[in-house]
Amino acid sequence: MSIGTATIEYEFICPLPNGLHARPANCLEQVVVGFVSDISVVNLNNNKKANVKSVLSLIGADIKKGDKCLVVVQGNDAKPAYDALVDFIEHKLPDCDAALPEMVYETNKVILPPVLEDAGIDVIPGNPVVSGIGRGKAVFFEKLKLPESLNIAGFVDVNDELSEVERAISELSSDITDNLSSGRATVVEREILNTHLSIANDVELLNKVRYLINNEGISAGEAMLSAVEHFSKILKMAESGLIRERVLDLRDVCYQVLKNIYHGKIDDSVKLDSHSICIAGNLTPCQFMSLDKEKLKGMVLTHAGNTSHTVILARSFGIPTLTGVDGVCLNIENGKEVIVDADLGIIVTEINEKVERYYALENRKQKAIAQKCTIFKKKPATTKDGSSIKVMANVATADEVEIAIANGAQGIGLFRTEMLFMDRQEAPSEDEQFEEYRKAAANANGSRVVIRTFDIGGDKSVGYLNLPKEGNPFLGYRAVRLYNEYEKLFKDQLRAILRASAYGNLELMIPMISCIEEVLWVKEKVKQVKEALDSESISYNTDIKLGIMIEVPAAAFIIPHLSKEVDFFSIGTNDLAQYFFAADRCNEKVKSLYNSNHPALLSLIKKIVDDADVNGIRVGMCGEMAGKVENLPILLGLGLKEISLASPSIAGIKAECAGLDRASCKELVIKILNCASSDQVEVVIAEQCRMNSHAVVEVGLIDLQVDCIDRAEVIKYISDILYINGRTNSPLEMEKEFWKRESVYSTGLGYGFAIPHCKNGLVNCHSICVFRLDKPIKWDSSDKKPVGMIIAMAIKDGETAGDSHMQIFSRLAKKIMCREFRNKLRILLSEHEVVRFLYDQLALKDIQ
Ligand code: PEP
Ligand code: MG
């Protein structure tokens, strides 16, 4: 430390495990912001200098743990500023950085399947929230271009431009502050808002904008864009992913400032001109809806949560999506072709030949699954024992209804209307809503459409309603609880729905009911609206059905009473689980408690279904739990006759249904309800899955024209075929199981044959696959000959040497040693012939 008259210096070593990223930089800035002295810090490791009063400048210095830094304080209040700063650095700085959020993945933790591993590429990991694979050019959702129509090039007055930019920034700051103090933001949102606030108030950003306006004679908007470009370049060079990620925040802030400068003249939409992968910090539901879904092939959202409404929408459009992605993705060039693989949880930025081959295999697998499901798309979902379950779709717009019906939906079980109220300056008018609901009814072609009245509040805020600040928004003023105060809004919506009911099969549903009084109040309002329509001679469906969501546990215990008042129930497991387990559905930290496989929740759902049945009232489920194929046996066993889910999953659910029978699902549920924990439930389910027995050999397991060029591809292909044929639910894990043997000793038998095999709990039923390769490949066989024939065996755990199936495998092992058997297999012409030959040779008839 050295103290002069006007300059004081202080050296410290950065103690922060994640370096000086936005959050600690913000704390540091807060300590010095009130002093007039100039305060800078030099990172002695890279000689980057920063203004401590600017978060952007501080994070641009790329200070990492262990970097030696020199603080220089110069000015009239240098001493008190120095004291405050040193006190903060020594006592508080080490504690002002919490651990990284769990959702951020470490690059080296991704285990790639061997075919991709062989491709020798770097990938960027992310948190998969909507599964699937998409490929297209990277498009940053930055929207930072000023429309030419603004004609801003030759502006007139420097002072006007300066005051415009200052006004726009201060408007944004106060909007963010209001948002923060409303108490509606979730923990993650608060963090983002705080970062945005400190960027909006950043002195260096404003200095740069002022400098550009004063010295380069450019407009406020151009100066803002140019300043953001300047800081983005600095941040992009940082080593820390956390710092690079701030570029998206910077762009977000800039965009909002531009909107404030040019009021409504900045176009919100991004035009996609070819297959694209959209990369953004987050998107509002309206921004997402504005994207052309034909061209949108994938999304990378660095900040979005799993249950955010944009993610729910992405799910319903089947757009593969990753969240929690490291800021490194910002180094992807705009326009570069990338793959979002939300099955593996990676972004692939380097597409070489091996990568092409891997995704060609994946494509083949997806197509085969889709083809299998297509057969079921248009059929009702029926179990093997003839019981059926109605499969409906969840939507948020009328346009989605058409897609849902095309995807096989037997109606719309949940139309979330609150999306129509969000991201705008005022509520939609009755006529605007009427048009939307009428269109939904028309798009459904006579099928039922359940319109849920607005569920605003909780995590869905609507600025223009000026809802009060709350400590616990999810437990507070939300959905039906708002309707009394906003009666006009509610009645306008009821009028719109009732008017639209004259044009199709619409039903009304009320969210968040917790007591009978709420239902009676709603019924009274419906009656009043009907009377008003009658007096105006406006037609509507006088018998329109009224239902309620069962998503508050209290409602679940008064089903017999509620049954007397309403026509149907829909179980909203997203909220039911959060209120039942006292675990916030948006909070990553309590994610493990929020578990739909918990026997307590399942027993609550059983009670709801049973009580509704006894009272003769229709009951369905529309929470996310209904959309997972693995939950279907439980839902059938619980007695549900109707479910509603994101429409891309519908065909898969129907296909799954065809392989189940309700009677054994009911037995499964009896076992499950006796479990003590969700872990135990999972064991029971896994056991049940494996009891479904199939023949050891079938046509789907034989392929006589296989285009694989190495062992890794063949093993992937075997695992995919087992998956396509329902013999395993985890193709990736199966690959690893085959490799466990293969990496210890080669299964190349000689004579051009290989017999890869594995035995484990992932195999649903014993299977033999036979493949003939187009070109023989190296397999490290004992006779060094290339392999052209593959006989793969997958054996399920729990079999012993005396078991009938083990006898098949030992017969097969003996046969393979026989030249005649091998030669015959090599020349058989069709898959059917191979199946018949194996039946005969292995005496399968005796066993199956
Ligand atoms: C639910 O809570 O399960 C539900 C479907 O409603 P939302 O997710 O819109 O709260
Ligand atoms: Mg809900």
Side-chain angles (χ1 to χ4, degrees):
M1 173 182 94
S2 72
I3 303 183
T5 44
T7 306
I8 319 178
E9 292 182 359
Y10 169 72
E11 256 183 36
F12 72 98
I13 306 273
C14 173
L16 301 165
N18 302 307
L20 193 77
H21 59 88
R23 213 170 336 135
N26 193 16
C27 301
L28 208 54
E29 177 222 299
Q30 291 303 312
V31 176
V32 298
V33 79
F35 295 102
V36 292
S37 296
D38 287 335
I39 306 172
S40 59
V41 61
V42 183
N43 180 350
L44 298 174
N45 197 35
N46 57 20
N47 282 326
K48 287 186 181 166
K49 186 177 173 189
N51 177 353
V52 183
K53 291 179 186 170
S54 155
V55 170
L56 283 177
S57 173
L58 272 174
I59 58 182
D62 202 11
I63 298 171
K64 294 182 296 304
K65 182 177 164 66
D67 283 354
K68 192 190 263 189
C69 301
L70 176 70
V71 174
V72 182
V73 189
Q74 194 171 33
N76 285 345
D77 54 3
K79 181 69 175 85
Y82 168 88
D83 288 344
L85 200 59
V86 171
D87 178 58
F88 177 81
I89 292 173
E90 289 183 356
H91 300 112
K92 304 202 181 90
L93 185 64
D95 299 323
C96 74
D97 180 23
L100 286 180
E102 270 171 46
M103 65 207 271
V104 175
Y105 277 47
E106 294 285 332
T107 311
N108 55 14
K109 280 201 189 133
V110 178
I111 300 168
L112 295 176
V115 179
L116 271 189
E117 191 69 52
D118 287 353
I121 48 162
D122 284 334
V123 297
I124 302 167
N127 195 12
V129 287
V130 183
S131 64
I133 297 169
R135 177 171 177 165
K137 64 176 195 191
V139 175
F140 282 84
F141 202 88
E142 45 191 351
K143 305 163 296 179
L144 293 184
K145 286 181 193 70
L146 295 175
E148 280 164 23
S149 58
L150 278 177
N151 232 349
I152 47 170
F155 76 90
V156 189
D157 192 300
V158 169
N159 287 334
D160 281 357
E161 297 297 315
L162 284 173
S163 62
E164 263 307 279
V165 95
E166 281 163 21
R167 180 196 53 77
I169 290 177
S170 97
E171 228 175 86
L172 175 62
S173 302
S174 66
D175 282 354
I176 300 178
T177 314
D178 286 354
N179 207 342
L180 277 168
S181 55
S182 74
R184 311 207 142 263
T186 62
V187 180
V188 178
E189 282 166 350
R190 290 187 72 80
E191 182 138 312
I192 297 163
L193 287 172
N194 275 317
T195 306
H196 284 191
L197 188 61
S198 61
I199 293 175
N201 291 336
D202 197 280
V203 282
E204 289 293 310
L205 180 64
L206 187 57
N207 285 344
K208 185 81 188 166
V209 173
R210 281 185 181 140
Y211 174 87
L212 290 164
I213 294 177
N214 275 320
N215 297 289
E216 296 194 6
I218 55 175
S219 66
E222 287 171 304
M224 193 69 204
L225 284 176
S226 172
V228 164
E229 216 30 62
H230 166 81
F231 284 106
S232 299
K233 270 191 200 136
I234 298 175
L235 300 189
K236 273 187 184 176
M237 281 184 308
E239 277 180 39
S240 153
L242 272 177
I243 291 179
R244 288 193 299 271
E245 212 167 88
R246 297 286 73 82
V247 174
L248 286 175
D249 295 306
L250 187 58
R251 287 174 175 160
D252 252 12
V253 168
C254 174
Y255 171 62
Q256 292 174 62
V257 172
L258 289 179
K259 264 183 34 173
N260 287 350
I261 298 177
Y262 298 109
H263 312 279
K265 289 185 199 138
I266 301 285
D267 186 7
D268 225 21
S269 59
V270 162
K271 305 268 174 295
L272 305 177
D273 52 22
S274 55
H275 288 182
S276 305
I277 302 295
C278 179
I279 303 175
N282 202 349
L283 293 182
T284 64
C286 285
Q287 287 170 332
F288 173 81
M289 290 311 292
S290 74
L291 295 168
D292 178 349
K293 308 299 175 307
E294 291 286 310
K295 301 201 170 103
L296 181 65
K297 295 295 158 193
M299 288 200 297
V300 178
L301 304 175
T302 56
H303 297 324
N306 192 7
T307 48
S308 90
H309 282 94
T310 303
V311 170
I312 288 180
L313 281 176
R315 210 166 276 143
S316 92
F317 280 92
I319 309 291
T321 303
L322 298 175
T323 62
V325 176
D326 187 280
V328 84
C329 74
L330 297 163
N331 287 342
I332 299 172
E333 264 168 59
N334 211 4
K336 183 179 171 53
E337 183 163 48
V338 297
I339 294 171
V340 163
D341 185 336
D343 291 342
L344 291 177
I346 53 169
I347 308 169
V348 180
T349 55
E350 198 187 331
I351 305 178
N352 60 26
E353 204 196 321
K354 287 255 177 195
V355 171
E356 292 285 7
R357 289 196 62 87
Y358 175 83
Y359 284 104
L361 284 173
E362 273 298 292
N363 199 9
R364 187 148 61 171
K365 175 172 80 183
Q366 312 282 10
K367 271 200 180 137
I369 298 277
Q371 204 174 0
K372 250 183 99 175
C373 294
T374 307
I375 312 164
F376 295 94
K377 224 183 222 178
K378 292 287 157 207
K379 292 185 184 169
T382 314
T383 60
K384 286 196 285 195
D385 53 351
S387 163
S388 63
I389 184 162
K390 200 160 196 164
V391 188
M392 321 267 283
N394 294 350
V395 300
T397 59
D399 288 339
E400 275 177 87
V401 175
E402 200 178 349
I403 304 171
I405 300 292
N407 275 335
Q410 294 167 278
I412 304 300
L414 169 65
F415 185 133
R416 287 181 163 99
T417 60
E418 54 278 6
M419 297 284 177
L420 303 174
F421 292 72
M422 292 162 73
D423 291 313
R424 49 191 294 159
Q425 304 305 318
E426 54 185 20
S429 67
E430 177 192 321
D431 281 349
E432 187 182 339
Q433 290 186 65
F434 162 72
E435 274 310 323
E436 184 75 7
Y437 307 144
R438 195 194 51 76
K439 192 169 165 198
N443 286 348
N445 285 333
S447 303
R448 191 196 324 145
V449 179
V450 178
I451 313 260
R452 183 177 76 178
T453 50
F454 61 83
D455 180 4
I456 293 168
D459 66 336
K460 302 172 209 165
S461 63
V462 166
Y464 54 83
L465 290 189
N466 293 320
L467 295 171
K469 175 181 171 192
E470 288 180 286
N472 245 325
F474 269 124
L475 297 182
Y477 209 34
R478 179 184 171 190
V480 67
R481 300 166 184 196
L482 260 60
Y483 295 175
N484 193 8
E485 183 177 342
Y486 297 90
E487 189 171 324
K488 163 96 174 59
L489 200 65
F490 179 53
K491 280 188 161 174
D492 282 353
Q493 185 174 36
L494 288 180
R495 276 179 70 93
I497 299 171
L498 282 165
R499 282 170 56 197
S501 71
Y503 297 84
N505 187 1
L506 297 191
E507 294 186 351
L508 247 175
M509 181 159 75
I510 314 294
M512 286 291 289
I513 292 289
S514 56
C515 59
I516 204 127
E517 290 79 359
E518 288 167 339
V519 178
L520 297 177
W521 185 89
V522 165
K523 284 178 76 174
E524 177 56 29
K525 299 301 142 188
V526 173
K527 190 168 144 255
Q528 289 170 8
V529 171
K530 282 182 174 177
E531 283 166 2
L533 292 174
D534 288 340
S535 69
E536 294 165 55
S537 304
I538 297 177
S539 53
Y540 63 92
N541 173 9
T542 49
D543 293 326
I544 189 168
K545 294 209 166 11
L546 173 71
I548 57 172
M549 298 274 298
I550 302 294
E551 49 186 346
V552 177
F557 290 88
I558 51 168
I559 295 288
H561 304 285
L562 292 168
S563 299
K564 295 195 182 88
E565 303 298 338
V566 299
D567 301 304
F568 64 93
F569 300 122
S570 185
I571 307 174
T573 48
N574 304 344
D575 280 311
L576 189 64
Q578 89 163 336
Y579 297 128
F580 194 54
F581 294 123
D584 183 339
R585 63 193 260 186
C586 301
N587 189 339
E588 285 278 305
K589 296 241 186 272
V590 291
K591 200 165 89 182
S592 60
L593 293 172
Y594 185 92
N595 188 333
S596 58
N597 268 347
H598 195 292
L601 181 68
L602 298 175
S603 131
L604 179 66
I605 297 173
K606 174 107 177 48
K607 177 176 167 50
I608 299 170
V609 176
D610 289 351
D611 288 357
D613 279 352
V614 167
N615 288 280
I617 298 285
R618 189 179 90 212
V619 58
M621 177 185 283
C622 63
E624 298 290 294
M625 179 180 176
K628 300 208 177 95
V629 119
E630 61 272 24
N631 290 337
L632 189 61
I634 300 183
L635 303 183
L636 286 167
L638 286 169
L640 276 158
K641 298 192 191 68
E642 187 172 308
I643 49 178
S644 190
L645 42 123
S647 74
S649 309
I650 288 178
I653 290 271
K654 287 181 171 179
E656 180 74 8
C657 189
L660 297 167
D661 71 71
R662 193 162 313 238
S664 24
C665 292
K666 286 197 166 155
E667 281 164 27
L668 171 76
V669 164
I670 293 172
K671 283 190 210 151
I672 283 175
L673 293 180
N674 281 322
C675 290
S677 66
S678 39
D679 282 354
Q680 279 185 16
V681 170
E682 266 146 40
V683 172
V684 173
I685 295 172
E687 191 48 43
Q688 177 83 8
C689 272
R690 289 189 290 117
M691 272 159 50
N692 298 328
S693 175
H694 294 264
V696 174
V697 186
E698 60 173 313
V699 171
L701 299 178
I702 318 293
D703 191 341
L704 301 180
Q705 277 184 309
V706 175
D707 165 34
C708 287
I709 55 166
D710 58 29
R711 190 156 40 147
E713 285 193 7
V714 170
I715 287 179
K716 171 171 171 46
Y717 194 60
I718 301 168
S719 309
D720 288 352
I721 290 284
L722 291 171
Y723 175 62
I724 293 166
N725 287 280
R727 287 156 186 272
T728 182
N729 302 331
S730 329
L732 263 174
E733 296 300 314
M734 279 297 281
E735 258 190 85
K736 285 186 209 150
E737 292 293 325
F738 278 111
W739 274 108
K740 269 188 200 161
R741 307 271 163 140
E742 216 61 47
S743 49
V744 180
Y745 57 89
S746 163
T747 58
L749 192 73
Y751 322 104
F753 274 71
I755 48 160
H757 53 279
C758 65
K759 179 180 177 188
N760 57 64
L762 302 167
V763 182
N764 293 338
C765 53
H766 304 298
S767 308
I768 297 175
C769 302
V770 178
F771 301 151
R772 193 184 292 150
L773 302 185
D774 292 348
K775 279 196 201 113
I777 58 171
K778 215 171 133 261
W779 201 287
D780 293 336
S781 305
S782 44
D783 62 0
K784 308 270 186 274
K785 285 201 176 131
V787 163
M789 288 296 300
I790 312 286
I791 302 182
M793 286 176 273
I795 305 163
K796 78 175 178 190
D797 247 351
E799 300 284 303
T800 54
D803 286 338
S804 53
H805 292 99
M806 293 308 281
Q807 287 168 23
I808 300 176
F809 294 115
S810 85
R811 275 181 218 164
L812 178 62
K814 278 187 209 136
K815 288 280 177 188
I816 292 177
M817 299 316 289
C818 202
R819 187 193 307 180
E820 212 183 315
F821 177 87
R822 294 195 304 267
N823 285 345
K824 184 82 185 174
L825 256 191
R826 280 195 185 101
I827 56 162
L828 286 173
L829 291 178
S830 74
E831 280 79 11
H832 284 279
E833 278 180 17
V834 175
V835 172
R836 276 198 296 274
F837 177 67
L838 289 179
Y839 258 74
D840 182 41
Q841 293 286 310
L842 305 177
L844 293 179
K845 258 204 295 286
D846 305 347
I847 297 174
Q848 293 174 356

